[in-house]
Amino acid sequence: MTQPDDRTARPRGTGVPMTHASSPSPTATYRLQLQPDFPFAAAGRAVPYLAALGVSHLHLSPVLEAVPGSTHGYDVTGHGAVRAELGGEDGLRALAATARAHGLGLIVDIVPNHMAVPAPLTLNGPLWEVLRDGPGSRYARWFDIDWDGGHGGRVLLPVLEGRIGDELPRFRVDGQVLRYGEQVFPLRPGTERLPLERLLGAQWYRLAWWRLARTELNYRRFFTISDLIGLRVEDPEVFEATHRTVLRLIRDGVVDGLRIDHPDGLVDPGGYLARLRGAAKGCWTVVEKILTGPERLPVGWACAGTTGYDTLRHIDGLFVCPQGAGRLFSHYRDFVTPLADEGGDWEETVRRAAYEVVEHDLAAEVERLVRTAVRIGERVPRPGDHAPWALRQAVRELLVRLPVYRPYTGDPADAARAASDAAMLAAAAERARATFRVPEEAGAVDLVHDLALGRCAGGGGGAPDPGVVDFAARFAQTASALHAKSVEDTAFYRYPVLLSACEVGGDPGEPALGPGTFHEYCARMQRDWPEGGTVLSTHDTKRSADVRARIAVLSECPDRWRDVLGAVAGGPEAAEGGVPVDPMAVWTAWQSAFGLGAATAGGPAAGGPAGEGRERLAPAVLKAVREAGLRTSWTEPDAAYEDAVAEFVRGGPCGPAAAHLAALEAELAPYIRANVLGAALLHLTVPGVPDLYQGTEREYTALVDPDNRRPARFAPGLLAELDGGAVPDGLSAEKLRLTAAALRLRRAHPEWFGAAGSYEPLTAEGPAAEHCVAFARAGRVVTAVTRLSLRLRETGGWWDTVLRLPAGGAWHDLLTGRTLPGGAPVGVDTLLSAWPVALLVRAEGTAEAVGAAEAAEPAETG
């Protein structure tokens, strides 16, 4: 963990360089999604506005060379240079200088787990050499390739559009390369003059039909994406080579902190982070580790904490009504009539999806584990002598029963986590044994269980068996891919009861969390990871925070949603003839349209621009039905059904029937406002470092990528108006004012919110106490928000509910300007009369806090 920093923030505009030894942890970061349409220069033009907003650091998506045109940068092609499409290293350094001149630092996203298998392959120089020179290449140790995994010691490249025999006429030799359409491959020296079929068999790679990737691939990939190949960053030479540029930028003071993409994919995440901390001189680092349920981040990891999906889950859960969510499920079940394992029961849906992924999408990864287990079983007397089919079943049954992304059983720095995960594996093994009809054959589970723990009964002492070590690491890596693909990318789309709960790190089966659980979580974060990241929207969220906040209101009025859906379900989307759209897709589309906003989703029918809804909603719904994989999928598409879905979206949610959504939105507007502002204020004041995704300082409605990766748009003029005294007009302006007030307060007083601060829950008293969530930070700041505001109105409002503010002086509300007494009960109806939220500071700190807010002079972006 990073050390507490008790220094005050550096004044804006001084231009004093932030060196690594003296730079504090961020007070807040702002994520910019770099792409050719939004390069370093565009980010530089936004710096004055972002500095005025109150963040301390820009958070940049990956900046190293990537596949041309990439809108995300995670498909890295080279680690030796900053991406030319973004402006190259000169552009990055210019951005850093502009940021420094306005008091901001830079956080950069890095991708240690994988590289792209691009077209053309020449873009990835190290991989090109491996394919040309084979295991003797100087880069062979870079990539996680199983040279003994079939194919005659060759790398399988599943890139052909058809079977190789049918594709032969498309090949041609061109000097030292082999061409296939627009793709190009290196030729093994000395083979260029061979007849074509002999030439193909003489390479260090095997070109094959793309459908063979599922079962035959012999390199580790990112999840199930075959054009991303795994790196062996655990090798010190590979680590040094792939991190050289980023570490140099850190040493030069260009970069101040790091976000680590997908650490679960690494062989040894803890060891990697320890090496990185030493090489990066301890700079602030967060990891994209998804925690499930009560799971905890390993305490020995050398980082500040996670990127914050665990915080997202706890904030979102506050705004879901548990009783209403249950009733909404009843309406969903009546409307969709799903089978238990196709969306009718959450746990059954997850289990079926896990079986499908482990048996289909990850078949190659499972087979690699089985081959390793067979080799070990053949040489170990006990518990050896197992049939490959039994080991295969044991691997599958253990994997599908893991409730977390990845077990960490061998971490010596976290004995408690290791023991907990070992117990989890033992429970999974017990259930896996029950799937064998012959008890004696269930002994295969014992071998696989021991191997997953990194041990092997009967193996004796001495140095660790390399095969056992390899199996344990690959089992954990495969478990991570399985959980991501089966839960995030399948079950979430098959269980769309309340779409706001179907988010990374979420639990659709238990979407609601109470204030007690929320406070317990925040107190633990302040104690254990006070400088970790927190997020509500990212480039990976399936729906932005404001979309989720809107949808969450439906849990408070499930009958109203049932009535609206009933009014539109028999409308234009039920076209006569053609292929019918299944009810699950209908439910998903209409709920997505409500989350996006009636004016946007419905287009002209609801007062929005023509075509915008079709362009944004239709791709998201189509992606949902493909990911669900029940009627169509990415690899087995049903064109007729997909056309029907697109037509349904055009005629239904984007057609005249959207007027019903507009009416519902108008009716629920006050409660949507409470959710949006409440979630935003919690995000900005709970323990941790808030990361704002581009544009989310205002109302921001976005669906799954690519909708959420559109170039950023900023509002410096609106911020200037608000700073000039303008009254916020509308939700966007209110959210901007709230965000700027909280960010500037954090920047002016980092000690109140960082590791040196504290978190104290405040409990309201009275009949509506559960509707008020409040807490104090360091005894100097109080946050209070309204939860379940529609239910609050239906039960008569706040009545005599009061909140006792901490004693020791008066409190100033930064949003309304009011002053409230400390130590005495304050009526919540008074506290939250103008806004559904309150941000209070000690009156003696008011002048400094307000002065810090007013000192930020917004400037127009270019």
Side-chain angles (χ1 to χ4, degrees), residues 262-266 269 288-290 301 405-406 408 476-477 480:
H262 187 47
D264 275 341
L266 307 180
E288 189 207 21
K289 167 62 181 168
I290 313 301
W301 281 17
Y405 279 73
R406 171 175 173 159
Y408 286 92
Q477 290 169 315
S480 171

Side-chain angles (χ1 to χ4, degrees), residues 249-282:
L249 293 170
I250 292 173
R251 289 194 300 270
D252 291 351
V254 176
V255 171
D256 302 284
L258 300 172
R259 174 198 183 272
I260 311 302
D261 181 66
H262 187 47
D264 275 341
L266 307 180
V267 165
D268 177 16
Y272 167 80
L273 290 169
R275 181 178 289 121
L276 181 64
R277 168 168 285 184
K281 308 303 180 186

